[in-house]
Amino acid sequence: MTLHRDLLIGGKELPAVSGRTAEDLNPYSSQVYATVAAGGVEDVTRAVDAADAAFPAWAAVGPAQRRKIFLTAADLLESRTEEAVRIMAGEVGGTRPWAMFNVGLAANILREAAAAVTAPRGEVLSAQEEDALGLAIREPVGVVAAFSPWNAPVILGVRAVAAPLAAGNTVVMKPSEDAPVACGLFVADVLRDAGLPDGVLNVVTNAREDAAAVAEALIADDRVRAVNFTGSTGVGRVIGVHAARYLKPALLELGGKNSVIVLDDADLDYAVDAAVFSVFMNSGQICMSADRVLVHESLVEEFTARFTARTASLPSGDPADPHTVVGPLVTEDAARRVAALVEDAVARGATVLTGGAAPEGSVHPATVLTDLPESAELYHAEAFGPLAVISSFATDDEAVALANATEHGLTCGIITENGTHGLKVARRIRTGIVHVNDQSVADEPNAPFGGFKGSGYGRFGGRWGIEAFSNTRWVTLATQQAHFPF
């Protein structure tokens, strides 16, 4: 039976004004998983109306009550793990381990939001005026536009709204067309059932062909005062331009061209395990996934043999099979895109060590390449699929240069048994995140998460997320009447 979901506006489930719907496909079976309301510009206005109306009351809710909602939501989300597993398998082809990881981390994001509610939010200033008290106070901005992606849908759906809501804002959420339930409506269901008041979180789903108009209408509305977007660098540039045009601060967490660097003092067994996880978790469809493995020349031959053998043994196919590691990509077009990157690389001189065959529907085989020339598109483009390129280096300088030779700057893993050595290399890597003696895929709700360069700007996580969705105001209190010169 096909699921049907409407928009969520002002606490009510409503069809689009136009009456149109959009299909949400299962990437593995190509069958319709759900239909959702195809909202348009007029629905954006309705959602912002509701969010704007709800803002004063939500901003005034006491910290204990607000914290209770987030803690309840975290527990509810964990109790609905099996529902999340089913939704992610049906909507994005997510494997069971990946779905369970999504639920666990998303629940902790909600708990971190609860903690942030009662964290200090201001400073007492040294006022220059005699007998005056100066304060720097952080206050909510109003309505926040939140764009959530499909690839880690529960994690990133929760992350898109948790900090804005914890800071006292209301939200209009536009989830990805590829996962409108998992990264939008399911998240809203949990928060609503936890006691979030009507209108505080609103969700507008849309048809793919309407995405650009819906996004611009949302950002352009005068009542929307901040924007967050997680997704591709290309779309992020568009969102950033819109935000700049309408003078809205934007937090953009975009793509990556991430590396795992295996230094000459690395434990080889550990390095192989770490790199395989970093490249192939969720079929490489994570912004933090490594599609470049840089290995010191003294280890590269043995590492390549072991890494290739491990890759060739990874079970792939049906995400419902609990043994599957490499499941389907989000669409057949996504699988064809990865195949085209491999084909171009091979045509320009790269060598396929394993995989490389044509995809079967949306399932692309786990693939390892070497000898990738700079002329290949893959040398510069984010793979965002089950695809790794192994390259060697002779010195730390060469490893740093290779890791930094990209427009992106999100994350990096450095594998070494020598922490001092690893930190010296880490200081030279131009990424927002770097992990020494670990791989590139990691997230903690209390840590600053974001990138440099083409990977975006701003930070989710901890106090940095609260700061991104609040204004700092200067407030003074004169303790006695001031004297004026005229």
Coordinates of all heavy atoms in Angstrom, one line a residue, residues 423-477:
L423 N 49.2 15.2 14.2 CA 48.7 16.6 14.5 C 49.5 17.6 13.6 O 48.9 18.6 13.2 CB 48.9 16.9 15.9 CG 47.9 16.3 16.9 CD1 48.2 16.6 18.3 CD2 46.5 16.9 16.6
K424 N 50.8 17.3 13.4 CA 51.5 18.2 12.5 C 51.0 18.3 11.1 O 50.9 19.3 10.5 CB 53.0 17.8 12.5 CG 53.8 18.1 13.7 CD 55.2 17.7 13.6 CE 56.0 18.0 14.9 NZ 57.4 17.5 14.8
V425 N 50.6 17.1 10.6 CA 50.0 17.1 9.3 C 48.6 17.7 9.3 O 48.2 18.5 8.4 CB 49.9 15.6 8.8 CG1 49.1 15.5 7.4 CG2 51.3 15.0 8.6
A426 N 47.8 17.4 10.4 CA 46.4 17.9 10.5 C 46.4 19.4 10.4 O 45.5 20.0 9.8 CB 45.8 17.4 11.8
R427 N 47.4 20.1 11.1 CA 47.4 21.6 11.1 C 47.5 22.2 9.7 O 47.2 23.3 9.5 CB 48.5 22.0 12.0 CG 48.4 21.7 13.5 CD 47.3 22.5 14.1 NE 47.5 23.9 14.1 CZ 48.2 24.6 15.0 NH1 48.7 24.0 16.0 NH2 48.3 25.9 14.9
R428 N 48.0 21.4 8.7 CA 48.2 21.9 7.4 C 47.1 21.6 6.4 O 47.1 22.0 5.3 CB 49.5 21.4 6.9 CG 50.7 21.7 7.8 CD 52.0 21.0 7.4 NE 52.4 21.3 6.0 CZ 53.3 20.7 5.3 NH1 53.9 19.6 5.9 NH2 53.6 21.0 4.1
I429 N 46.1 20.8 6.9 CA 45.0 20.4 6.0 C 43.9 21.4 6.1 O 43.5 21.8 7.2 CB 44.4 19.0 6.4 CG1 45.6 17.9 6.4 CG2 43.3 18.6 5.5 CD1 46.1 17.7 5.0
R430 N 43.5 21.9 4.9 CA 42.5 23.0 4.9 C 41.1 22.4 4.8 O 40.4 22.5 3.8 CB 42.8 23.9 3.7 CG 44.1 24.6 3.7 CD 44.2 25.6 4.9 NE 43.3 26.7 4.7 CZ 42.9 27.6 5.6 NH1 43.4 27.4 6.8 NH2 42.1 28.6 5.3
T431 N 40.6 21.9 6.0 CA 39.3 21.4 6.1 C 38.7 21.9 7.4 O 39.4 22.2 8.4 CB 39.3 19.8 6.1 OG1 40.1 19.3 7.1 CG2 39.7 19.3 4.7
G432 N 37.4 21.9 7.5 CA 36.7 22.3 8.8 C 36.9 21.2 9.8 O 36.7 21.5 11.0
I433 N 37.1 20.0 9.4 CA 37.2 18.9 10.4 C 38.4 18.0 10.0 O 38.6 17.8 8.8 CB 35.9 18.0 10.2 CG1 34.6 18.9 10.5 CG2 35.9 16.8 11.2 CD1 33.4 18.2 9.9
V434 N 39.1 17.5 11.0 CA 40.1 16.5 10.7 C 40.2 15.6 11.9 O 40.1 16.0 13.0 CB 41.5 17.2 10.4 CG1 42.0 18.0 11.6 CG2 42.5 16.2 10.0
H435 N 40.4 14.3 11.6 CA 40.5 13.3 12.6 C 41.8 12.6 12.5 O 42.1 12.0 11.5 CB 39.4 12.3 12.4 CG 38.0 12.9 12.4 ND1 37.4 13.5 13.5 CD2 37.1 13.1 11.4 CE1 36.2 13.9 13.2 NE2 36.0 13.7 12.0
V436 N 42.6 12.6 13.6 CA 43.9 11.9 13.6 C 43.8 10.5 14.2 O 43.1 10.3 15.2 CB 44.9 12.8 14.5 CG1 46.2 12.0 14.6 CG2 45.1 14.1 13.9
N437 N 44.3 9.6 13.4 CA 44.2 8.2 13.7 C 42.8 7.7 13.6 O 42.3 6.8 14.3 CB 44.9 7.7 15.0 CG 45.3 6.3 14.9 OD1 45.6 5.8 13.8 ND2 45.3 5.6 16.0
D438 N 42.0 8.3 12.7 CA 40.7 7.9 12.4 C 40.4 8.3 11.0 O 41.1 9.0 10.3 CB 39.7 8.6 13.4 CG 38.4 7.8 13.5 OD1 38.1 6.9 12.7 OD2 37.6 8.2 14.4
Q439 N 39.2 7.8 10.5 CA 38.8 8.1 9.1 C 38.0 9.4 9.1 O 37.8 10.1 10.1 CB 38.1 6.9 8.5 CG 37.1 6.2 9.3 CD 35.9 6.9 9.5 OE1 35.3 7.4 8.5 NE2 35.4 7.1 10.7
S440 N 37.4 9.7 7.9 CA 36.8 11.0 7.7 C 35.4 11.1 8.1 O 34.8 12.2 8.2 CB 36.9 11.3 6.2 OG 36.2 10.4 5.4
V441 N 34.7 10.0 8.3 CA 33.2 10.0 8.6 C 33.0 10.0 10.1 O 33.2 8.9 10.8 CB 32.5 8.9 8.0 CG1 31.0 8.9 8.3 CG2 32.7 8.9 6.4
A442 N 32.6 11.1 10.7 CA 32.3 11.2 12.1 C 31.5 12.4 12.4 O 31.6 13.4 11.7 CB 33.6 11.2 13.0
D443 N 30.6 12.3 13.4 CA 29.8 13.4 13.8 C 29.5 13.3 15.3 O 29.2 12.2 15.7 CB 28.5 13.5 12.9 CG 27.8 14.8 13.0 OD1 28.2 15.7 13.7 OD2 26.7 14.9 12.4
E444 N 29.5 14.4 16.0 CA 29.1 14.5 17.4 C 28.2 15.7 17.5 O 28.6 16.8 17.1 CB 30.3 14.4 18.3 CG 31.1 13.1 18.3 CD 32.2 13.1 19.3 OE1 32.4 14.1 20.0 OE2 33.0 12.2 19.3
P445 N 27.1 15.6 18.2 CA 26.2 16.8 18.3 C 26.7 18.0 19.0 O 26.2 19.1 18.9 CB 24.9 16.2 18.9 CG 25.4 15.0 19.7 CD 26.5 14.4 18.9
N446 N 27.7 17.8 19.8 CA 28.3 18.9 20.6 C 29.5 19.6 19.9 O 30.0 20.5 20.4 CB 28.7 18.5 22.0 CG 29.8 17.4 22.0 OD1 29.7 16.5 21.1 ND2 30.7 17.4 22.9
A447 N 29.9 19.0 18.8 CA 31.1 19.5 18.1 C 30.7 20.5 16.9 O 29.7 20.3 16.3 CB 31.9 18.3 17.6
P448 N 31.6 21.4 16.6 CA 31.4 22.3 15.5 C 31.5 21.6 14.2 O 32.6 21.0 13.9 CB 32.4 23.4 15.7 CG 33.5 22.8 16.4 CD 32.9 21.8 17.3
F449 N 30.5 21.6 13.4 CA 30.5 20.8 12.2 C 30.3 21.7 11.0 O 29.3 22.4 10.9 CB 29.3 19.7 12.2 CG 29.5 18.7 11.1 CD1 30.0 17.5 11.3 CD2 29.0 19.0 9.8 CE1 30.1 16.5 10.3 CE2 29.2 18.1 8.7 CZ 29.7 16.9 9.0
G450 N 31.2 21.7 10.0 CA 31.1 22.5 8.8 C 32.5 22.5 8.1 O 33.4 21.9 8.6
G451 N 32.5 23.2 7.0 CA 33.7 23.2 6.2 C 34.2 24.5 5.7 O 33.7 25.6 6.2
F452 N 35.2 24.5 4.9 CA 35.8 25.7 4.2 C 35.5 25.6 2.7 O 35.1 24.6 2.2 CB 37.3 25.7 4.5 CG 37.7 25.9 5.9 CD1 38.9 25.4 6.3 CD2 37.0 26.7 6.8 CE1 39.4 25.6 7.7 CE2 37.4 26.9 8.1 CZ 38.6 26.3 8.5
K453 N 35.9 26.7 2.1 CA 35.9 26.8 0.6 C 34.6 26.3 0.0 O 33.5 26.7 0.5 CB 37.1 26.0 0.0 CG 38.4 26.4 0.6 CD 39.6 25.8 -0.2 CE 39.8 24.4 0.1 NZ 40.9 23.8 -0.6
G454 N 34.6 25.4 -0.9 CA 33.4 24.9 -1.6 C 32.5 24.0 -0.7 O 31.5 23.6 -1.2
S455 N 33.0 23.7 0.5 CA 32.2 22.9 1.4 C 31.3 23.7 2.3 O 30.6 23.2 3.2 CB 33.1 22.0 2.3 OG 33.8 21.1 1.5
G456 N 31.3 25.1 2.1 CA 30.3 25.9 2.8 C 30.9 26.7 3.9 O 32.1 26.8 4.0
Y457 N 30.0 27.3 4.7 CA 30.4 28.1 5.8 C 29.4 28.1 6.9 O 28.2 27.8 6.7 CB 30.7 29.6 5.4 CG 29.7 30.2 4.5 CD1 28.5 30.7 5.0 CD2 29.9 30.3 3.1 CE1 27.6 31.3 4.2 CE2 29.0 30.9 2.3 CZ 27.8 31.4 2.9 OH 26.9 32.0 2.0
G458 N 29.8 28.4 8.1 CA 29.0 28.3 9.3 C 29.1 27.0 9.9 O 29.7 26.0 9.3
R459 N 28.6 26.8 11.2 CA 28.8 25.6 11.9 C 27.5 25.1 12.6 O 26.9 25.9 13.3 CB 29.9 25.7 13.0 CG 31.3 26.0 12.4 CD 31.8 24.8 11.7 NE 33.2 25.0 11.2 CZ 33.5 25.4 9.9 NH1 32.5 25.8 9.1 NH2 34.7 25.6 9.6
F460 N 27.1 23.9 12.4 CA 26.1 23.2 13.2 C 26.8 22.7 14.4 O 28.1 22.6 14.5 CB 25.5 22.0 12.5 CG 24.5 22.4 11.4 CD1 24.9 22.3 10.0 CD2 23.3 22.8 11.7 CE1 24.0 22.7 9.0 CE2 22.4 23.2 10.7 CZ 22.7 23.1 9.3
G461 N 26.1 22.3 15.5 CA 26.6 21.6 16.6 C 26.9 22.5 17.8 O 27.4 23.6 17.7
G462 N 26.5 22.0 19.0 CA 26.8 22.7 20.2 C 26.4 24.1 20.3 O 25.4 24.6 19.7
R463 N 27.2 25.0 20.9 CA 26.9 26.4 21.0 C 27.0 27.1 19.7 O 26.4 28.1 19.5 CB 27.8 27.1 22.1 CG 29.3 27.1 21.7 CD 30.1 27.8 22.8 NE 31.5 27.8 22.5 CZ 32.2 28.6 21.7 NH1 31.5 29.5 21.0 NH2 33.5 28.5 21.6
W464 N 27.8 26.5 18.8 CA 28.0 27.1 17.5 C 26.7 27.1 16.7 O 26.3 28.0 16.0 CB 29.1 26.4 16.7 CG 30.4 26.5 17.4 CD1 31.3 27.6 17.3 CD2 30.9 25.6 18.3 NE1 32.4 27.3 18.1 CE2 32.2 26.1 18.8 CE3 30.5 24.4 18.8 CZ2 33.0 25.5 19.7 CZ3 31.3 23.7 19.8 CH2 32.5 24.2 20.2
G465 N 25.9 26.0 16.8 CA 24.6 26.0 16.2 C 23.6 27.0 16.7 O 22.9 27.6 16.0
I466 N 23.6 27.2 18.0 CA 22.7 28.2 18.7 C 23.1 29.6 18.2 O 22.3 30.4 17.9 CB 22.8 28.1 20.2 CG1 22.4 26.7 20.7 CG2 22.0 29.2 20.8 CD1 20.9 26.4 20.3
E467 N 24.4 29.8 18.1 CA 24.9 31.1 17.7 C 24.5 31.4 16.2 O 24.2 32.6 15.9 CB 26.4 31.3 17.8 CG 26.9 31.3 19.3 CD 28.3 31.2 19.4 OE1 29.1 31.1 18.4 OE2 28.8 31.2 20.6
A468 N 24.4 30.4 15.4 CA 24.1 30.6 14.0 C 22.6 31.0 13.8 O 22.3 31.6 12.8 CB 24.3 29.2 13.2
F469 N 21.8 30.7 14.8 CA 20.4 31.0 14.7 C 19.8 31.9 15.7 O 18.7 31.8 16.2 CB 19.6 29.7 14.6 CG 20.0 28.8 13.6 CD1 20.7 27.6 13.9 CD2 19.8 29.1 12.2 CE1 21.2 26.8 12.9 CE2 20.2 28.2 11.2 CZ 20.9 27.1 11.5
S470 N 20.7 32.8 16.2 CA 20.3 33.8 17.1 C 21.0 35.1 16.9 O 22.1 35.1 16.2 CB 20.6 33.4 18.6 OG 21.9 33.0 18.8
N471 N 20.5 36.2 17.3 CA 21.1 37.6 17.2 C 21.8 38.0 18.5 O 21.2 37.7 19.6 CB 20.0 38.6 16.9 CG 19.7 38.7 15.4 OD1 20.5 38.4 14.5 ND2 18.5 39.0 15.1
T472 N 22.9 38.6 18.4 CA 23.5 39.2 19.6 C 23.1 40.7 19.7 O 23.3 41.5 18.7 CB 25.0 39.1 19.5 OG1 25.4 37.8 19.4 CG2 25.7 39.7 20.7
R473 N 22.5 41.0 20.8 CA 22.0 42.4 21.0 C 22.8 43.1 22.1 O 23.1 42.4 23.1 CB 20.5 42.5 21.3 CG 19.6 41.9 20.2 CD 18.2 42.0 20.6 NE 17.8 43.4 20.6 CZ 16.8 43.9 21.3 NH1 16.0 43.1 22.1 NH2 16.5 45.2 21.2
W474 N 23.1 44.3 22.0 CA 23.7 45.1 23.1 C 22.6 45.8 23.8 O 21.8 46.6 23.2 CB 24.7 46.1 22.5 CG 25.4 47.0 23.5 CD1 25.8 46.6 24.7 CD2 25.7 48.3 23.2 NE1 26.4 47.7 25.3 CE2 26.4 48.8 24.4 CE3 25.6 49.2 22.2 CZ2 26.9 50.1 24.6 CZ3 26.1 50.5 22.3 CH2 26.7 51.0 23.5
V475 N 22.5 45.6 25.1 CA 21.5 46.2 25.9 C 22.2 46.9 27.1 O 23.1 46.2 27.7 CB 20.5 45.1 26.5 CG1 19.5 45.8 27.4 CG2 19.8 44.5 25.3
T476 N 21.9 48.1 27.4 CA 22.4 48.8 28.6 C 21.4 49.2 29.5 O 20.2 49.5 29.1 CB 23.2 50.1 28.1 OG1 22.4 51.0 27.6 CG2 24.3 49.7 27.1
L477 N 21.7 49.3 30.8 CA 20.9 49.8 31.8 C 21.6 50.8 32.6 O 22.6 50.5 33.3 CB 20.4 48.6 32.8 CG 19.6 49.1 34.0 CD1 18.3 49.7 33.7 CD2 19.4 47.9 34.9

